[in-house]
Amino acid sequence: MRVLLLWDDDGRLFGPLYSWRRGPHCRENDPFRGSFLSYAKSLIRLVLDRRKNLVQKESMKIGYARVSTEEQNLDLQIEALTDAGCDRIVTDKGQSGARAAEARPGFSQAMALLGPGNQIVVWKLDRVGRSIADLIHLLKTFEERAVEFRSLTDGIDTTTAGGRLVFHIMGALAEFERSLIQERTRAGLRAAKKRGKRLGRPPALTPAQIAHAKAAISAKRETVTGMAEILGVNRSTIQRALGTSA
C-alpha cells in the first residue's frame, strides 16, 4: 500500500489524499495518471493561496497617538486610527512634540512592533514630531526598515513618491508654524512687561502679610514655622518673603 500525503505550512496534515496498491493490474489507480493529477494540483494551489494570505495578513498597521499633557484626550486620534484599520494602537500621553520621537516610550514601542512591509499610521504629522530634522531622520529610518508611513489628516502616504514629497513639505511647515508661535509668545511677554504686568504665578503672600510676619518674628512673638501655619504657606515661602523684603 502506498499513500500520498500533503502537509500545510504549519505542519498540519491535509491527507491522505489518495492510496493505491502496487500491482500489474492497478495501473489505473496511479495518482500521477488520469484525473487525480488535476485534483492534486488543485489542492497544492489551495496551500499556496493560503500561504499568500498569511503573508498579506502579517503586514500590520500600527497606529500611534500622542498628546502633550496628561489633561488632553486621545479619543479623537484613537477613533480615527481605528477607522483606518490599525491592528494595534500605541499611545504617548504627556509627551511634548518638541521631544525627539525615539525618546518617547510609546513611539519606541511602536517602532519595536514594526517590521518590513508594515505601516505606521498617525492622525496628524505633528503627532510624530515638529522638528524638520527629526521628521527627515524618521523618514530615513522608515525607509531603511522598509516601513511605510501614513498621516490621515495631512493625506501623506510614503508608498508613493508624491507622499514622500508632501512629508518633507509638511514637516517644514510644522517647524515654521512652531517658530511663529514662539515668536508671538515672546512678543506678548515683552509687551506685558512694558505695561508693568507681573508674569508667572501670583505671589503666595501679600505685602501686608509679609510685613506682619516680619514684625511678629522680629519681636519673637512667632517663629517662622508658626507664621507659616498661620498664613497657610510653607516655611520656605516665609523665609523667601523675609529675605526679599530685607
Side-chain angles (χ1 to χ4, degrees):
M1 172 78 70
R2 288 187 178 184
V3 180
L4 179 63
L5 303 176
L6 184 63
W7 282 266
D8 67 2
D9 291 337
D10 297 327
R12 289 177 297 201
L13 184 64
F14 267 171
L17 298 182
Y18 198 76
S19 63
W20 74 100
R21 293 183 180 276
R22 297 185 64 184
H25 304 294
C26 298
R27 191 175 181 184
E28 66 276 7
N29 292 329
D30 190 338
F32 296 100
R33 293 176 58 86
S35 61
F36 186 80
L37 182 59
S38 299
Y39 174 65
K41 286 181 178 180
S42 298
L43 286 176
I44 292 172
R45 278 196 297 269
L46 178 64
V47 173
L48 294 177
D49 289 342
R50 183 174 180 273
R51 178 185 297 177
K52 182 179 179 181
N53 291 334
L54 286 174
V55 171
Q56 290 175 346
K57 187 177 180 181
E58 289 172 359
S59 181
M60 293 179 63
K61 285 185 179 181
I62 304 297
Y64 174 70
R66 178 189 65 80
V67 289
S68 300
T69 66
E70 293 290 342
E71 292 75 21
Q72 290 176 307
N73 199 303
L74 287 163
D75 291 349
L76 175 63
Q77 297 180 50
I78 292 175
E79 183 179 353
L81 294 172
T82 302
D83 291 342
C86 292
D87 300 294
R88 184 168 176 180
I89 298 174
V90 183
T91 64
D92 266 323
K93 203 165 187 179
Q95 297 289 331
S96 172
R99 187 181 183 188
E102 293 171 330
R104 303 181 211 131
F107 188 83
S108 299
Q109 182 185 357
M111 291 296 290
L113 294 171
L114 292 168
N118 295 164
Q119 186 179 63
I120 183 168
V121 185
V122 297
W123 178 63
K124 198 173 182 181
L125 183 61
D126 62 4
R127 298 302 89 194
V128 289
R130 293 174 180 166
S131 166
I132 184 64
D134 192 25
L135 290 171
I136 291 175
H137 168 70
L138 288 175
L139 181 60
K140 289 181 179 178
T141 302
F142 295 153
E143 289 177 340
E144 290 170 358
R145 296 180 56 175
V147 170
E148 301 299 340
F149 174 80
R150 183 184 175 195
S151 174
L152 301 176
T153 305
D154 305 304
I156 300 172
D157 189 344
T158 57
T159 57
T160 65
R164 288 190 290 272
L165 174 62
V166 174
F167 184 88
H168 285 285
I169 294 174
M170 294 301 294
L173 292 175
E175 185 177 20
F176 177 66
E177 181 182 10
R178 178 172 172 80
S179 298
L180 288 178
I181 293 172
Q182 290 175 339
E183 288 178 6
R184 288 195 295 266
T185 302
R186 286 194 291 265
L189 292 174
R190 287 194 297 267
K193 286 181 180 179
K194 286 182 180 180
R195 295 194 301 269
K197 185 175 181 180
R198 179 186 172 88
L199 302 176
R201 188 173 58 183
L205 298 173
T206 65
Q209 288 174 322
I210 294 173
H212 173 68
K214 184 176 182 181
I217 293 171
S218 299
K220 299 189 183 300
R221 295 194 303 270
E222 279 291 349
T223 62
V224 174
T225 302
M227 284 306 304
E229 292 178 356
I230 292 171
L231 297 173
V233 295
N234 291 327
R235 189 174 187 274
S236 58
T237 302
I238 296 290
Q239 290 175 328
R240 285 195 301 269
L242 294 178
T244 303
S245 63

